[in-house]
Amino acid sequence: MLLKFFNHFRLTWRLSRDKRASIWLKIFLLGLPLAYASIPTPGDLLPGVGLLDDLVFMGLCSLIFVAISPLALVTEHRNAISGKGADAVAHLDGYRYPKE
């Protein structure tokens, strides 16, 4: 489960750095959590609770960002993270015997 958690945030990071992803999705990923964190809520009076709800909201925005990103782009990055697909084969071409 911890591996899935880290892979999700690796996927989010890769999608946010990909030039083919929409700029509006990237603004959503960064702008909405920053706006939410800047608005004080009653839970912010308690030290741990205020940070916790901000982190949960950032995680929720990350899930929505991946869900509304183009499926082909998400699949490509998921395959690259897991080591499958054309990206993984391209990295192995340098190790092949030249006469193969």
Side-chain angles (χ1 to χ4, degrees):
M1 183 167 161
L2 193 59
L3 185 62
K4 287 179 91 174
F5 178 77
F6 286 124
N7 281 343
H8 170 74
F9 285 102
R10 285 177 63 196
L11 175 64
T12 304
W13 177 255
R14 289 177 67 110
L15 285 171
S16 68
R17 296 188 41 90
D18 195 333
K19 292 181 180 173
R20 296 174 290 171
S22 170
I23 189 71
W24 296 109
L25 287 175
K26 295 175 187 179
I27 290 172
F28 167 79
L29 177 67
L30 295 174
L32 195 60
L34 287 176
Y36 178 78
S38 67
I39 299 170
T41 58
D44 288 341
L45 299 175
L46 300 171
V49 177
L51 179 64
L52 185 63
D53 74 328
D54 292 342
L55 290 175
V56 168
F57 189 75
M58 288 170 49
L60 182 65
C61 285
S62 172
L63 288 171
I64 294 171
F65 174 72
V66 171
I68 52 181
S69 292
L71 184 61
L73 197 58
V74 172
T75 304
E76 177 185 329
H77 285 291
R78 277 194 178 137
N79 288 341
I81 288 171
S82 66
K84 296 186 247 177
D87 193 35
V89 173
H91 290 300
L92 295 177
D93 285 338
Y95 296 107
R96 291 186 186 221
Y97 186 68
K99 295 180 182 178
E100 185 177 21

